[in-house]
Amino acid sequence: MSGPLATRLALVRVAVGAVCVWTLLRQPGEVPGLGVEPGAIFRPVGLARLLDAPLPPAFVAVWQGVTVLLGVAWTLGWSWRVTAPAFAAAFLGWATWRLCWGAIAHDLHLLTLHVLALAFLPAAGALSVDARRAGRLAWLPDGAVADVWVRGGLRLVGGLTVVTYVLAGLAKVGRSFAWASGASLADHLSVAVLVSLVYRPGDGLPPGFTFVLDHPALLAIGAPLTLALELGAPLALVHRYAGVTWAVGIFAMHVGIAGAMNVVFPYPTFGLAFLSFLPVERLLRGQYTSVR
Amino acid sequence: MLPSRRPLRSAVATALLLVLAACMTRPPAPIAPAGGGGGARDRGACATVSPMPMGPVERARLQLRTVAVLLLAAVASPALFETGEALFPLSDYPMFARARPPVETLFFVEVARPDGALERVPARLVSGGGAGKARQQLQEVPRARKSAQLAYCRTLAAGVAGAGELRIVRGEFSLARLRRTREAEPHRRTVVVSCPVPG
């Protein structure tokens, strides 16, 4: 299995795996004891709603360790037929567990969706251990079959990205288009900065926040532009240039959010969530082929 | 799951699903037959009457489309049905969407030093996690029994260096004032519980 698009899909796999492993190692899966009442803020989401009480910390620690190992295997593309679905299941469970403690940050949603989608795709066909030394558990389709999986797979990953941004846009205009005025964005900006200052006192005021306050026109432009990027996301699937343009635009939006709000969602803020739209394989091979 | 009561959202979501379905199921780019590919598409209308066995290419397309349609429909479903966050990783992504009140209430932890200085305790010392988790945890403190509040206060104080008094504070912050002064000082504060730092 070879070709520029197989390389792109492999790069998406490596990026997703690396972010997952980094997330797992950076954030504890268990919640260090809230002394008030241990189970007081256990608010299960997703599959965890089947639980009556939190899992034992030792179980969570082992689970986290196993998930990290599977994540490394995923990133290296080793024995994909087994490690991909196993990691997808383990990571879905871990991410669900991490969101059971009250604070719902939406940084894990798209990452988890991409993990689930990639687990169904032959994403270890290039840049992988499997590609170098095909074992019994590798999944390396060839010829026209590989072409179907790779092209369609990249489109699926991009489609999932698009849907999440459209939903975010729809949530903002659910009742009216008042959000586009910029006033609501100013309030959200202020709350994010306030939370950052109160709970991370060493961070200081984000320079972008001061800049935006000094230039209020940025809010008047930024709010409708944000809505246009989110609600117009499906256009990214229509043509490859539209996809590249949209990916650059939404990446810029996340960089702006990081600069003005101190809110960094690593997967989109570092542009990794949008690799399926970009000819990133050029970085390795010096060539580019359209998904379409 | 309840049907969404937001017609605009539902209409756009339905249109989006149609666009995505069209993208995923549109005729693919020509592919040179290899390994027995081809399949029913090339065999004309007769294929629908007496279907030939699927080749590997057609089978791959069918598998991929099935996965794609199911996944995309599931992910888009929160726009059509009110699911909240109950079905992670599905969500309607409400961040930055709802209108904020002009005054934000936050619970935070601070240490009052003997010289009168007030130091905020960072989130990682409060919850071991980020700001969001610390915020959620501290919001629960007023609802706990007084003895439990005190025990929690002492747990936090044990992790703080130096002498002083640890306080869990309910603060009211004006967003307009934050934008004007660029300082995160509450205009109203209430100490929920306090305890000495062991030093």
Side-chain angles (χ1 to χ4, degrees), chain A residues 31 36-37 41 43 46 106 109 144 149 152 155 163-164 167 175 179 187-188 190 199 210 214 237 292, chain B residues 6 20 23 26 31 63-64 75 85-86 93 96 98 107 123 127 137 140 144-145 152 178-179 182:
Chain A
V31 172
V36 180
E37 284 183 14
I41 57 158
R43 296 198 189 106
H106 290 84
H109 290 65
W149 279 111
R155 219 179 281 162
V163 175
T164 59
L167 290 178
R175 290 182 180 83
W179 200 93
D187 286 345
H188 283 286
S190 304
Y199 295 108
T210 311
D214 292 339
L237 297 172
R292 277 156 274 275
Chain B
R6 296 172 190 161
L20 289 167
C23 282
R26 71 181 177 179
I31 296 170
Q63 289 171 343
L64 180 68
V75 174
E85 294 296 332
Y93 299 91
F96 307 132
R98 72 180 171 89
F107 290 85
S127 68
Q137 289 194 7
E140 300 296 323
R145 297 183 310 275
Y152 183 46
L178 169 74
R179 288 196 281 265
R182 300 178 193 192

Side-chain angles (χ1 to χ4, degrees), chain A residues 170 173-175 177, chain B residues 6-13:
Chain A
L170 288 174
V173 299
R175 290 182 180 83
F177 276 88
Chain B
R6 296 172 190 161
L8 172 67
R9 217 165 77 163
S10 300
V12 175

